[in-house]
Every structure is written in structure tokens, then in C-alpha cells.
Amino acid sequence: MPRAERERQMLDAAVRVFGERGYRAASMDEIAELAGVSKPLVYLYLNSKEELFTACIRREAQALVAAVRAGVRTDVAADRQLWDGLTAFFAHTAEHPDGWAVLHSQARSGGEPFVAEVGVARDEIVAFVTALIAEAAGEAHQDPVRAEREVAGLAQAVVGAAEALAGWANTDPSVSAREAATTMMNFAWSGLGNLMAGRRWSVPS
Amino acid sequence: MPRAERERQMLDAAVRVFGERGYRAASMDEIAELAGVSKPLVYLYLNSKEELFTACIRREAQALVAAVRAGVRTDVAADRQLWDGLTAFFAHTAEHPDGWAVLHSQARSGGEPFVAEVGVARDEIVAFVTALIAEAAGEAHQDPVRAEREVAGLAQAVVGAAEALAGWANTDPSVSAREAATTMMNFAWSGLGNLMAGRRWSVPS
Amino acid sequence: MPRAERERQMLDAAVRVFGERGYRAASMDEIAELAGVSKPLVYLYLNSKEELFTACIRREAQALVAAVRAGVRTDVAADRQLWDGLTAFFAHTAEHPDGWAVLHSQARSGGEPFVAEVGVARDEIVAFVTALIAEAAGEAHQDPVRAEREVAGLAQAVVGAAEALAGWANTDPSVSAREAATTMMNFAWSGLGNLMAGRRWSVPS
Amino acid sequence: MPRAERERQMLDAAVRVFGERGYRAASMDEIAELAGVSKPLVYLYLNSKEELFTACIRREAQALVAAVRAGVRTDVAADRQLWDGLTAFFAHTAEHPDGWAVLHSQARSGGEPFVAEVGVARDEIVAFVTALIAEAAGEAHQDPVRAEREVAGLAQAVVGAAEALAGWANTDPSVSAREAATTMMNFAWSGLGNLMAGRRWSVPS
DNA sequence: AATGAATGAGAGTTCATTCAT
DNA sequence: TATGAATGAACTCTCATTCAT
């Protein structure tokens, strides 16, 4: 069996085990067994537990970012872009719960190297959202030089809210990606105040 | 030394070590040493690593919930209540970074028993926010029977956004609890759409 | 059982196993079993295989040097001092074959840290012999400023010859320490040329 | 590439790695890589790590013995023969430090099979020296039936001293083969006693 | 109330060795 | 002739936990 395919198998198994157990509690034995190979082969291809986990983080992060990017067309309005991105995000996390667990829960509790690794991907998403907000602000011809810091905070809040909703949606399988994205847009775009006043958001045509 | 005080010392040490290292990577040796007692005493008082971690989660969760509760007066408007709660929340997490790390990062990656334990506290906060939203909806005389499910989703998003902002604020010490709370209210209460339109939120008098 | 005694037991076992198998081939399992304790205890007291081996080298080297020193009186002639030292040396190595194996064979093949460690003790012995030779040269009123380098070479040769004879004597148990020392003195003190001419050396009265 | 040459490459690499690391610490991976071939080929040609090490010992031992033999003419006086042999010995060990390390340090700590293997070559050298001493004794018309045992002891001492000087000379590159051989002859042939009395040895004409 | 002494179980990692090609 | 792919077995080291005092 060619090396590339074996490596994919190993990463699949590793993502699953790391996602379920966490970095420390996962054992290389279990990963190797789930991948259907011997432990030494895992070491031959991926060098160490740390590198294996890093490789998992990297692969899952890139897949998630790619999925979001693929879901967004840049030639539409900002709210539509945000809605498309959120839909893609919720769909991807729902389809890859272990990958999402690795990124969201496990990588963050594993200490420096992993936090940094997952931070890179998160920053990419945050940058995407930041650009959207800035663009929307431009569209609205409002205060074009909004303080970077405020926009950064808002982007963090958007991403955090989306992450929380992803966890919520993954817990309750009856929640679809569309519903999660709609809730998110209602929350983020309209604001609770508007919602309370009866003004809700809907997908722009 | 009386038992209660010894136990507090141990929990302090445990929260610190668990917060920094995570459940699995933390060692009872290090906790005992940091607490200034021998390991058997830790076992005598707290029985096992699992129970010790559970005790940490419980104590820190109660402290956080209590802090938020203490910051909120129930005889004011909903947005004011939310703002007060957020301010208390950000202030508390900033003052207890290890406790916050235990609740936010570490407990979630430790598997079933701990996730459930921290879930209880989170649900309490979510319930608080849910009640606020429902109350606000009532105040606004809008759609008084808003679907529970939608409100639940919104509450999750609010809490998630607040958690993300807490992480952001703890990373950058120049961000005060007030600033984080303001960003949060601008985001959540006014909504991005309103912000873009130049309508921003400010602390109600 | 008190810690000091346990540590001695462990070192005894370690010297035996290291002496027989060598540093790499020795297993901590075997050492622990021979010492009659569990492996973790060995690690608790001696930290690592490397430190354990270093402790063995140090203990055995000090014992050997002490034995040689104890066998020599400094108020007698140089040849007598040399003979006494050699006798003590051969007696000690014969009584502690594993310790001698650790110092002579195993420590030298284990790489930098151990070579350096055993080098310290060897240098002490070489310095002792160097001083003897220098003193003898002084006694004989000959060339009092003999080049340090030549004396150093001679001392190396003396120690090397003694080491070889120790190995030879340990292999053949019928060779006593006295006989080895006598052979050594005949060789070193009289020289092969004198031996060939029928002049041999005998213990000075 | 013809088999013989490949084998030589492998032995060269093996001697280098074994010399530096020792038998156990050397890895077949490193040897194969240094030899520029794949691991299975090493096994195809040399069967096992043990046989490979044995082959190294044998080759290096034969090379050393051959070098000493080549340096000695048997039609000269015994002291001259010894001096010639020592010069050749020191020159060879200086030129082949890894081979010398294999023979002197590594083979001795590897347990039975290797000790025996290197013992064969050592015995050959010892026999050569023994014959020299016996011949010299005959030349000197002294006690022609000197006890074998004593001669054997002397030969061991000579070889041991030479080995020690080889190590000394290899450590300090400013020591030439000639100087080491001269020191050795002064020590062994004249004896320390004579040296002290001002009688030194010089190369016989 | 408190601890020094001790361990069973299991972790990550490495290595000599073999097979199919 | 030569190798990429693969592994069984063994190693060092760690840790939660307990007992005797």
C-alpha cells in the first residue's frame, strides 16, 4: 500500500481518537490499531505523538478553512457572504465532528505548540470575518476608519458565537446547518435589540 | 491546621495546575507539592484525581455564577441586566484565569464526567441569559411566545461570544472588563447591521 | 527500610548488571529485580539510567582509589610505595570484579559522560603514579627536571600495564594479588632488559 | 557494483558507527545509511548485527596484526623487533582510530562472543611478544626455562601498557608513533629502576 | 493529622529483522 | 542486485494510588 494512503488512514484514525479522548488521553496503541497498522509504522511516518497531533490539527484546520472559503462568493453583499460562510462552517463541522473536536476542544487544552497551531487557522477565519465587517462598514458609508481594535473584538465575538452554535448544533442533530446559520445571522446581524423589536433578518435575495 | 483550610489550599493548587496543564497532563505530585502537603493527604481529603478535578470544576463554576449573579440587579431593564452580567463575567474571568481555563478549556476536553459537570454551570448561565431574552421580548411586547428553541440558540450564541471575548481579553491585558462588555453589547444588542448603519449601543442610564 | 540502605542495594545490583552486560544492554527491569525492588523505586531514588550508571562509576571509582590509598604508606621508598599500591589495586579488583568491569570495560564504551566520569578517577591514579616516579627520580638524584610529558607517558604505561594484569589475574583465579604485583614490579621497575640479564626485583625490606 | 566492494563499504561504515557508539548503541539504520545502501542489503550480505560486528572485529584485528607483522623483521635483535612492532602498532592505531576503538573498547564490553573474537587476535599479539621475550631470554643465556606463566604475565603487561599508550597517543595528536614507542621501550626494556638511575634505552643500531 | 516508602499498570519510543517485489 | 513497507518485542520512564506508621 502506498505511503500517502497509509498516512491518510493514520491521520483519519488519529483525528478520531484525539477528538474523542484528547491529546494526553489518546494512546498511540489505539490510534495504530484503529488505523489497522502497527505502532512502529505510525512512528516511521509521523515521528512522534506531538507531530501526529500537529499534523491532525493542520489537516483539519485547512479542511475547515477551505470549506468556508469554497462556500463564499466574494461578489455578493457582506451579509450574504457571512451567511454563506456560516452555512458552510456549520455544515462542515457537522460532517466532521471529530475534526471539529480536535480543533475546538482538544487542541486548545494541549499547551503551547498546539494552541499556536490552531491559532493560525482561527486567525485566518477571524481575518475573513474582520474583512467582511470592514467591507460592510464601507458599504454603509459609515465611519470608514472604525478602530481596528473594535472590529477585532467584534470578529472574535462572531467567531466565538459561531463556535458555540456549532457545538450546540452538533449536540442536537435535529439542528441543521441552515438553522444554525439563520440563528447566527439573526443574532449577529440584526442584534438582539432589533429582534426584540420584531425586526428579524432573512437571507438576502 | 483545620481541614477546611487545608482543602482550600489543595483546591487552589489543583486549579492552578489543572488550568495550566490540563487534566491528564497534571500530576498529583505537582499539585501536592504546590499545596505544600504530602500526596496521601490529598487522597485522604479528596479521594482521587477525578474527584479532585470535579471539585475544582464545581468550585470555580459556582464562584463564576455567583459573581455574575452578584453583579446583576433584577429590577432594571434587560439590556442593563445583560450589561451588568457581562461586566461581572469578564471581571471575574480576568481575575481568575486558571479557574476560567479549567472551566473553559480543560473541563471540556476531559471526557464525559467533567463535561457534564461544567455543563451544569454553563446551563445555569444560559438559563439566565435565556430568561433575559424572554423578558426583553416580553418588555417589547413582541411575539411573546417566541419558540424556545430559537431563544435557546440565541442564548448559546451570546454565551459563546462572551466566552470568546473572555479569551481575547485575557490574552491582551489592555482590554478591560468594561471594554469587553461594551463590545459584547454592541455586537449582541444592536447587531452588526445596526452598527454598520451607525447605530451603536451605550450603557442605559 | 531506610532510604540509604535501599540505595546501596540498588547500586550493588546495578554494578553487577552493568558490569556483566554493559550500559546499553543492561535493563532497568533486571536491575530492579536483582535489587528486590520495583522499577519505579529505582527511578524515584536514582532518577534515570544515566544517573544510575554515573553513580555506579563514581562509587566504584572512589572505592578503588580509597583502597589503593589505604594500602600505601608515604614514608617509605618509592618502589615500596608502588608495590604496596599495586598489591592493594590487584586485591581490590579481584574482590570487586563487577566494579572493576564497570570501570575498566563498560564505562569506557558508553560515550562522553561516562568516559569523563571514569577519567577523573583514572587521572587520580595516574597522578599518584606520576608523583611516585617523580619522587623516585628525585631520590636517585637524576635529571630532576625530567620532562613532564615523559613522566606522564610512563605513568600511563604503568597504569595500563596494571589494568591489563588485573584483567589477566581476574580471568585466572590462581593468580594472586601478590603474584600480579610482583610480575608488575619485575616488569616495570627492573625492566625487561634487566630481567633478561638475570636481575630481578624483590620486595624491598 | 560487485559484491566484494559493497561489503567493504558496509564494513567501513559499520566500523565507524560501532567505534563511535558501541555495539548496542549503534543502529543498523545508521550503518546502512552511512554505507549508502538499504538495510535489507546489509542483512543480505552480513546476516545479522552480531555477525556484522564480528566481521568488523575480525577485519580490524587482522589488519592490526598484519601491520605489526609487516613492521617487524625477524632477523634482528629482540629489542629491535619489539621496537619495530611497537612503532607499527602505534602507527596503525593512530591511522585507524575507529578500528582501534572497536577492538579496544567496544568489543570488550559486548559480552561473550565478541570478547572471544577479539581475544583471538590479542592472543596472537601476546604470543608474538611472548616469543620475543623468550627469545631475548635465550639470547641472554639466562634461565632458558623461565616459567611460562611468568612470561605470559609479562607479555600481558607489555601489551596492556602499549594499549594504554595507544589510547594516550590517540587522545593527544601531538604524540607521534615514534615517541610512544620510545616511551614504551624506556619503560619496558630498561625498567623504571634503570631510568631512575639514569640509564635509558635508545634504538639499537 | 500527616507522611515516607513503595508499586502495578501503562505510556511513548526504538530497533533488529523480514517480506514482497 | 536491491529496496519500500512493515512489525514483534523490548526499552526507558511516569503516574495514580496505597500501606504502615
Side-chain angles (χ1 to χ4, degrees):
Chain A
M1 180 170 303
R3 172 165 181 156
E5 191 173 349
R6 273 270 189 260
E7 261 190 47
R8 203 181 41 68
Q9 282 180 11
M10 290 177 195
L11 284 176
D12 288 346
V15 166
R16 181 125 158 249
V17 175
F18 282 134
E20 277 172 15
R21 303 236 187 290
Y23 175 61
R24 291 290 301 228
S27 96
M28 296 298 273
D29 268 300
E30 188 178 357
I31 292 170
E33 193 184 20
L34 187 63
V37 298
S38 69
K39 224 180 349 169
L41 201 60
V42 180
Y43 278 90
L44 189 61
Y45 284 0
L46 288 140
N47 300 322
S48 72
K49 194 185 192 186
E50 185 169 334
E51 280 190 39
L52 173 57
F53 192 42
T54 303
C56 290
I57 294 173
R58 218 176 320 235
R59 191 183 76 165
E60 296 304 314
Q62 283 177 357
L64 176 56
V65 169
V68 172
R69 280 196 196 289
V72 174
R73 282 169 305 152
T74 55
D75 57 350
V76 296
D79 54 351
R80 178 66 199 235
Q81 285 190 46
L82 184 55
W83 193 76
D84 287 338
L86 287 167
T87 307
F89 175 77
F90 290 125
H92 186 89
T93 57
E95 278 164 25
H96 303 86
D98 290 322
W100 175 243
V102 164
L103 293 177
H104 185 53
S105 318
Q106 309 304 358
R108 281 179 161 161
S109 52
E112 261 307 303
F114 311 131
V115 170
E117 192 67 41
V118 80
V120 170
R122 191 175 206 269
D123 288 349
E124 207 171 333
I125 300 267
V126 169
F128 170 68
V129 174
T130 303
L132 272 193
I133 296 174
E135 181 190 336
E139 274 179 1
H141 299 289
Q142 292 295 333
D143 192 356
V145 191
R146 194 178 292 288
E148 275 183 38
R149 182 192 191 114
E150 184 179 357
V151 173
L154 289 170
Q156 292 283 347
V158 170
V159 173
E163 287 172 353
L165 281 180
W168 178 64
N170 282 8
T171 301
D172 179 348
S174 77
V175 179
S176 68
R178 276 188 74 90
E179 182 178 355
T182 304
T183 301
M184 185 66 205
M185 287 303 290
N186 274 326
F187 170 54
W189 203 257
S190 301
L192 292 172
N194 276 348
L195 286 177
M196 297 311 108
R199 287 188 288 277
R200 306 174 70 175
W201 178 91
S202 63
V203 183
S205 58
Chain B
M1 183 170 302
R3 171 161 182 159
E5 190 172 351
R6 272 269 192 257
E7 263 192 44
R8 201 180 43 67
Q9 282 179 12
M10 291 179 195
L11 284 176
D12 287 347
V15 166
R16 183 127 158 243
V17 176
F18 282 134
E20 278 174 11
R21 304 233 189 290
Y23 176 60
R24 292 287 305 226
S27 93
M28 296 296 273
D29 269 298
E30 189 178 357
I31 291 170
E33 192 185 23
L34 188 61
V37 299
S38 71
K39 235 185 328 177
L41 200 59
V42 179
Y43 278 88
L44 188 62
Y45 284 2
L46 288 139
N47 301 321
S48 72
K49 194 186 189 184
E50 187 169 331
E51 283 190 38
L52 173 56
F53 192 41
T54 303
C56 289
I57 294 172
R58 218 179 315 242
R59 190 183 77 164
E60 295 304 313
Q62 284 177 355
L64 176 55
V65 169
V68 172
R69 282 199 194 289
V72 174
R73 283 169 304 155
T74 55
D75 58 350
V76 295
D79 55 350
R80 177 67 199 233
Q81 285 189 45
L82 185 52
W83 192 76
D84 286 340
L86 287 167
T87 307
F89 174 78
F90 290 126
H92 186 88
T93 57
E95 276 165 25
H96 303 85
D98 290 321
W100 174 242
V102 164
L103 294 176
H104 185 51
S105 318
Q106 309 304 357
R108 283 179 158 160
S109 53
E112 261 308 302
F114 311 130
V115 171
E117 191 68 41
V118 80
V120 170
R122 193 175 203 267
D123 288 349
E124 206 170 333
I125 299 266
V126 169
F128 169 68
V129 174
T130 303
L132 272 193
I133 295 174
E135 179 190 338
E139 276 178 0
H141 299 288
Q142 293 296 332
D143 192 355
V145 190
R146 192 174 301 282
E148 274 183 39
R149 183 191 188 113
E150 183 179 356
V151 172
L154 290 169
Q156 291 283 347
V158 170
V159 173
E163 288 172 351
L165 281 180
W168 178 63
N170 281 9
T171 301
D172 179 349
S174 77
V175 179
S176 68
R178 276 188 73 93
E179 180 179 355
T182 304
T183 301
M184 186 65 207
M185 286 305 289
N186 273 325
F187 170 55
W189 203 256
S190 301
L192 290 172
N194 275 350
L195 286 179
M196 297 311 107
R199 286 188 288 279
R200 307 174 71 176
W201 178 91
S202 63
V203 184
S205 59
Chain C
M1 182 172 301
R3 171 165 183 156
E5 191 172 350
R6 274 270 190 257
E7 262 191 45
R8 203 180 41 67
Q9 282 178 11
M10 291 178 194
L11 284 176
D12 288 345
V15 166
R16 184 128 155 243
V17 175
F18 282 133
E20 278 172 15
R21 302 235 188 289
Y23 175 61
R24 291 289 302 228
S27 96
M28 297 296 274
D29 270 299
E30 188 178 357
I31 291 170
E33 192 184 23
L34 187 64
V37 298
S38 70
K39 226 184 340 174
L41 201 60
V42 180
Y43 279 90
L44 189 61
Y45 284 0
L46 289 137
N47 300 323
S48 72
K49 195 185 191 184
E50 185 168 334
E51 279 190 40
L52 174 56
F53 192 41
T54 303
C56 288
I57 294 173
R58 209 163 344 222
R59 191 183 78 165
E60 295 304 313
Q62 283 177 357
L64 175 56
V65 169
V68 171
R69 281 197 195 291
V72 174
R73 283 168 304 153
T74 56
D75 57 351
V76 296
D79 54 349
R80 177 67 200 234
Q81 286 190 44
L82 185 55
W83 193 77
D84 287 339
L86 287 166
T87 307
F89 175 78
F90 290 125
H92 186 89
T93 57
E95 277 165 25
H96 302 86
D98 290 321
W100 175 241
V102 164
L103 294 177
H104 184 53
S105 317
Q106 310 303 359
R108 282 178 160 160
S109 51
E112 261 305 302
F114 311 132
V115 170
E117 192 68 41
V118 80
V120 170
R122 191 175 205 266
D123 288 349
E124 207 170 333
I125 299 268
V126 169
F128 170 68
V129 174
T130 303
L132 272 192
I133 295 174
E135 179 191 338
E139 273 178 0
H141 300 290
Q142 292 296 331
D143 194 355
V145 192
R146 193 176 294 286
E148 273 183 39
R149 181 188 188 118
E150 184 178 356
V151 173
L154 290 169
Q156 292 282 347
V158 170
V159 173
E163 288 172 353
L165 281 178
W168 178 63
N170 282 8
T171 300
D172 179 348
S174 76
V175 179
S176 68
R178 278 188 73 91
E179 183 180 352
T182 304
T183 300
M184 186 66 207
M185 287 305 289
N186 273 324
F187 170 55
W189 203 257
S190 298
L192 291 172
N194 276 350
L195 286 178
M196 298 311 108
R199 285 187 289 277
R200 307 172 71 176
W201 180 91
S202 62
V203 184
S205 58
Chain D
M1 182 170 301
R3 170 159 182 158
E5 191 171 348
R6 272 268 192 259
E7 263 191 46
R8 200 178 46 66
Q9 282 178 11
M10 291 178 194
L11 284 176
D12 288 347
V15 166
R16 182 125 157 247
V17 176
F18 282 134
E20 278 172 13
R21 304 234 188 288
Y23 175 62
R24 292 287 304 224
S27 93
M28 297 297 273
D29 269 299
E30 189 178 357
I31 292 170
E33 192 185 23
L34 188 62
V37 299
S38 71
K39 236 185 329 177
L41 199 60
V42 180
Y43 278 87
L44 188 62
Y45 283 2
L46 288 139
N47 300 320
S48 72
K49 193 185 191 185
E50 187 169 333
E51 282 189 39
L52 173 57
F53 192 41
T54 304
C56 289
I57 294 173
R58 219 180 316 241
R59 188 182 81 164
E60 295 304 312
Q62 283 176 357
L64 176 56
V65 170
V68 171
R69 282 199 195 289
V72 174
R73 283 168 304 153
T74 55
D75 58 350
V76 295
D79 54 349
R80 178 65 199 234
Q81 285 190 45
L82 185 54
W83 194 78
D84 287 340
L86 287 167
T87 307
F89 174 79
F90 290 125
H92 186 89
T93 57
E95 278 165 24
H96 303 85
D98 290 322
W100 175 241
V102 164
L103 294 176
H104 184 52
S105 317
Q106 309 303 358
R108 283 180 158 160
S109 51
E112 261 307 302
F114 311 130
V115 171
E117 191 68 40
V118 79
V120 171
R122 191 174 205 268
D123 289 348
E124 206 171 334
I125 300 266
V126 169
F128 169 69
V129 174
T130 304
L132 272 192
I133 296 174
E135 180 191 338
E139 273 179 1
H141 302 288
Q142 291 297 331
D143 192 355
V145 192
R146 194 177 297 284
E148 274 182 38
R149 180 192 192 114
E150 184 179 358
V151 172
L154 289 169
Q156 292 283 349
V158 170
V159 173
E163 288 172 351
L165 282 179
W168 179 64
N170 282 9
T171 301
D172 178 349
S174 76
V175 180
S176 67
R178 276 189 74 90
E179 182 178 354
T182 304
T183 301
M184 185 67 205
M185 286 305 291
N186 274 325
F187 170 56
W189 203 257
S190 300
L192 292 172
N194 274 350
L195 286 179
M196 298 309 108
R199 285 188 288 278
R200 307 172 70 175
W201 180 90
S202 62
V203 185
S205 59

